[in-house]
Amino acid sequence: MSPLPSSTTSVQIQQFYDKGLAHASYAVRCGRQVVIIDPARDPQPYYDFADEHEANIIGVIETHPHADFVSSHLEIAQETGATIYVSKLVKAGYPHQPFDEGDRISLGTVELHAINTPATPPILSALS
């Protein structure tokens, strides 16, 4: 696996936190590309973030099934053309790309790596 990004690579990670659900989601931006991780129901904050940075949402990662809230992954994908990434272990019935151990997503000049962990589908690893 490649090392973490050097100081010459501009990567921004923005957390979005819903206190009522105790749920955190993230936008990872490199240049003019954004990937959203575990989005909450309301997609507007992610659209606003992308617009603020003149960036395009190119992907949505669902790190695990969410029984405690409704995700906006389908809406974001439909609105932006972003690809949804989810583990094959989830057996998702919606359009998606598998994102499992060893899989990578290119985001600007960096890559996001999937790492499968025990008891859960893959989590996102460090940027490289």
Side-chain angles (χ1 to χ4, degrees), residues 17-24 40-41 68-70:
Y17 191 74
D18 182 330
K19 289 181 184 179
L21 293 175
H23 167 258
R41 176 62 196 105
D68 54 349
F69 74 96
V70 177

Side-chain angles (χ1 to χ4, degrees), residues 8-82:
T8 60
T9 302
S10 176
V11 176
Q12 178 182 8
I13 301 172
Q14 176 69 46
Q15 183 184 65
F16 299 85
Y17 191 74
D18 182 330
K19 289 181 184 179
L21 293 175
H23 167 258
S25 60
Y26 301 87
V28 181
R29 182 182 65 83
C30 184
R32 293 185 179 219
Q33 294 184 324
V34 175
V35 170
I36 307 300
I37 303 169
D38 293 335
R41 176 62 196 105
D42 181 8
Q44 194 59 52
Y46 314 113
Y47 299 154
D48 293 345
F49 176 84
D51 288 346
E52 177 183 333
H53 296 285
E54 298 179 355
N56 297 312
I57 299 173
I58 64 160
V60 180
I61 300 171
E62 291 286 354
T63 62
H64 61 285
H66 302 284
D68 54 349
F69 74 96
V70 177
S71 173
S72 60
H73 61 294
L74 295 174
E75 184 176 347
I76 293 170
Q78 183 176 15
E79 180 72 25
T80 67

Side-chain angles (χ1 to χ4, degrees), residues 83-89 95-101 103-105 114 122:
T83 301
I84 298 172
Y85 297 92
V86 65
S87 172
K88 64 185 173 197
L89 301 174
H96 67 281
Q97 290 292 321
F99 192 53
D100 290 285
E101 187 76 35
D103 291 338
R104 298 173 181 215
I105 301 170

